[in-house]
Amino acid sequence: MTRSSTESVVGNPSRKLPQYIAALAASGGALAAGTFLGWTSPAEIPLVQNEEYGFPINAEEFSWIGSMANLGAALMCFPIGILMKMVGRKWAMLLLVLPLMLGWLLIIFASNVAMLMVGRFFLGVGGGAFAISGPAYTAEISDPSIRGALGMFFQLFITLGILFGYAVGAAVSVQVLSIICAVIPIAFGAIFFFMPESPQYFIEKNRIEDASKSLKWLRGSHYDQSSELETLQAEDAKLRAEKITFLQCFQQRATIRALIISLGLVFFHQMSGVNAVIFYTTTIFDAANSGLDPTAATIIVGVIQVVATFLATIIVDKVGRRILLMISDFFMAVSTILLAVYFQLKEADETQVENLGWLPVLALCLFIAMFSIGYGPIPWLMIGELFANNVKAYVSPLGGAFSWLFAFLVTKVFTNLRDALGISGAFWLFSGISLVGTIFVFFIVPETKGISLVEIQRILSGEKVQGTKGHVNRAMEDDEK
């Protein structure tokens, strides 16, 4: 087949606008997930210090409230894959509106700490499942020529949701913020209901006519979808023929290496301290006495995150994954070192930092910008690139669960670290981890820019591939001795 599967056999190319509409509609789930990630920062001071809900919440209890969402997200990584295969990508995503609504209702009407914790858990169930189902749906509906751009929508809308939580939380009470956030999943469900199901799901269920209708919606009424249908059917048949068991996939050298790289990236992604920074931005600025209103500083950080993430979508295929990861991790280490130095000086003698109020603002802005161009979106992109199609169903949820569990750990223990080591000690720890992460990328992570998925599997298997455009680590090419 010499022509693109997304080009009409009569010369009419597919339309892109319907695909953008469907991808944007699907990204409404990411916006909903981002709001509960951003909710914690503006909520901590009103709930803990001001007792806005009318009952006491101490710092330890709030650390559980903040972290429960991550635990709920981790537990959903495997069930959502089963649900997507049973009812389809579209209906699995629509069903996630239910735990999101339940979570927000529990938070809105909370009369004790337990209701807040359970509410956050259900928000994590919905948001964590979106992190798996949203990108999968977008990838399956997209024309290859725009798949990369549409695939970055999810991370971009996560950051927009976080910024939304910061900005609205600065102007209203926690309860009103929660009510407004609860409207977003309802709006998502109302809009996404009219989007098509993934044609890939219909092919898996041998519903060829439905797959054809889905492609017509996505590619335009004048598009001849027969070539793309044939390609999808051939790929599905190949996957069925190459189907392996859970244990067999871990006997493949390429899968083991890909898993080490992916879990390593996820580990350093979370242990950089990013969730501590996002969840407790307002608190950090409040403790820093920077002279800038903490809520205003938090909004500035949110804007930087959105802009940097958008920049990453433009340059990732030009600059490469590996160099962006190293730049990202190194400068995150620099940022947390600056924060550690500032708070160490402040803890020793506050007069030493009277004229350094700008330093934590600069450091946090640098941290968020560097995270967003590298360690924010790229680990998820590389997970999709490193694993062969016939093992993705088994191992991709492992990466998601691993990530959310570490997010739970960092969010939960940040308050404890702050109490045990001081806030400076916590940031010294994060900076050390980020420096180790930079070394990990340099020695272990291959460059996948300009390399086909087939060639990546050959490299991970120990073969030497000639003529690739990316720079691949020699350690990834050498056969085991």
Side-chain angles (χ1 to χ4, degrees):
M1 194 174 299
T2 59
R3 67 180 68 222
S4 168
S5 63
T6 55
E7 182 182 340
S8 168
V9 294
V10 294
N12 292 322
S14 66
R15 292 184 62 202
K16 305 298 191 299
L17 180 59
Q19 297 168 60
Y20 276 98
I21 292 172
L24 286 170
S27 298
L31 185 67
T35 57
F36 80 74
L37 293 174
W39 178 91
T40 315
S41 183
E44 182 178 19
I45 292 176
L47 293 184
V48 176
Q49 296 183 13
N50 304 335
E51 294 189 14
E52 188 177 288
Y53 264 34
F55 54 88
I57 302 173
N58 60 40
E60 173 67 16
E61 289 170 333
F62 192 82
S63 72
W64 278 104
I65 292 169
S67 59
M68 284 301 289
N70 298 309
L71 186 60
L75 293 177
M76 267 304 287
C77 286
F78 289 96
I80 187 59
I82 298 171
L83 188 62
M84 287 165 62
K85 284 189 172 294
M86 288 177 57
V87 302
R89 286 54 156 167
K90 174 183 174 179
W91 280 102
M93 293 169 71
L94 287 173
L95 288 173
L96 296 178
V97 173
L98 298 178
L100 287 172
M101 287 306 304
L102 178 59
W104 284 121
L105 287 172
L106 285 167
I107 290 173
I108 291 166
F109 297 106
S111 58
N112 52 58
V113 171
M115 287 182 70
L116 289 172
M117 289 176 60
V118 175
R120 291 282 298 174
F121 178 85
F122 278 109
L123 290 178
V125 166
F130 268 121
I132 301 293
S133 57
Y137 174 84
T138 301
E140 291 178 3
I141 66 166
S142 303
D143 185 304
S145 65
I146 56 173
R147 186 173 295 155
L150 298 189
M152 294 295 282
F153 278 6
F154 191 86
Q155 181 68 20
L156 181 61
F157 272 72
I158 287 280
T159 62
L160 286 170
I162 293 171
L163 175 59
F164 181 88
Y166 287 171
V168 177
V172 300
S173 68
V174 175
Q175 189 173 49
V176 172
L177 170 63
S178 303
I179 292 170
I180 295 171
C181 288
V183 174
I184 294 177
I186 297 174
F188 158 76
I191 295 170
F192 192 63
F193 178 81
F194 297 99
M195 298 300 110
E197 176 59 87
S198 160
Q200 181 66 48
Y201 168 73
F202 287 133
I203 292 293
E204 291 173 3
K205 298 299 183 181
N206 201 32
R207 294 165 58 179
I208 308 304
E209 185 176 346
D210 289 328
S212 176
K213 292 178 181 178
S214 177
L215 285 172
K216 280 285 189 183
W217 194 103
L218 292 163
R219 309 289 191 252
S221 58
H222 297 293
Y223 174 71
D224 187 331
Q225 74 278 16
S226 57
S227 177
E228 187 169 0
L229 278 174
E230 290 175 7
T231 301
L232 289 173
Q233 287 177 282
E235 290 175 354
D236 183 65
K238 182 181 178 183
L239 286 177
R240 292 177 189 272
E242 296 176 350
K243 188 175 181 180
I244 60 176
T245 66
F246 181 79
L247 292 178
Q248 285 174 331
C249 79
F250 291 102
Q251 296 170 3
Q252 298 178 349
R253 185 180 181 189
T255 302
I256 294 173
R257 284 188 164 186
L259 190 61
I260 291 170
I261 295 166
S262 299
L263 296 186
L265 289 175
V266 166
F267 173 81
F268 290 111
H269 165 102
Q270 294 294 353
M271 297 305 289
S272 67
V274 63
N275 276 291
V277 170
I278 290 174
F279 280 30
Y280 300 108
T281 302
T282 302
T283 304
I284 292 169
F285 275 111
D286 187 54
N289 292 323
S290 63
L292 184 64
D293 179 66
T295 56
T298 301
I299 293 171
I300 291 171
V301 168
V303 171
I304 291 172
Q305 188 176 25
V306 172
V307 173
T309 303
F310 179 74
L311 176 64
T313 67
I314 299 172
I315 66 175
V316 68
D317 283 324
K318 297 180 176 66
V319 178
R321 286 75 158 138
R322 190 166 173 262
I323 186 66
L324 284 178
L325 284 169
M326 286 190 289
I327 291 172
S328 173
D329 222 6
F330 177 77
F331 281 101
M332 282 194 293
V334 171
S335 304
T336 45
I337 287 172
L338 291 175
L339 285 168
V341 169
Y342 176 86
F343 282 109
Q344 189 165 327
L345 291 173
K346 185 174 185 289
E347 289 163 2
D349 182 3
E350 288 198 22
T351 61
Q352 297 184 81
V353 296
E354 286 180 351
N355 298 319
L356 292 176
W358 54 269
L359 184 59
V361 178
L362 173 65
L364 274 183
C365 290
L366 178 64
F367 180 94
I368 289 296
M370 290 298 101
F371 174 81
S372 299
I373 68 165
Y375 259 93
I378 291 177
W380 309 113
L381 175 62
M382 292 197 71
I383 286 175
E385 293 177 327
L386 292 173
F387 292 109
N389 285 336
N390 62 340
V391 303
K392 279 183 181 178
Y394 296 123
V395 292
S396 291
L398 278 178
F402 196 74
S403 175
W404 286 109
L405 283 173
F406 268 100
F408 167 76
L409 176 65
V410 172
T411 309
K412 174 63 189 72
V413 304
F414 179 71
T415 301
N416 306 97
L417 283 173
R418 190 172 58 187
D419 294 339
L421 306 176
I423 195 168
S424 63
F427 283 118
W428 278 120
L429 177 62
F430 291 141
S431 65
I433 292 172
S434 291
L435 288 174
V436 174
T438 308
I439 297 170
F440 170 82
V441 173
F442 183 80
F443 285 105
I444 302 298
V445 178
E447 179 58 76
T448 57
K449 176 178 74 77
I451 303 175
S452 72
L453 299 181
V454 173
E455 288 173 331
I456 291 172
Q457 291 308 302
R458 290 172 59 193
I459 292 167
L460 293 172
S461 297
E463 299 180 32
K464 292 186 177 181
V465 178
Q466 302 297 327
T468 55
K469 297 178 183 177
H471 300 287
V472 183
N473 298 17
R474 185 179 299 276
M476 298 304 298
E477 294 184 337
D478 292 340
D479 290 329
E480 289 181 350
K481 304 298 182 185

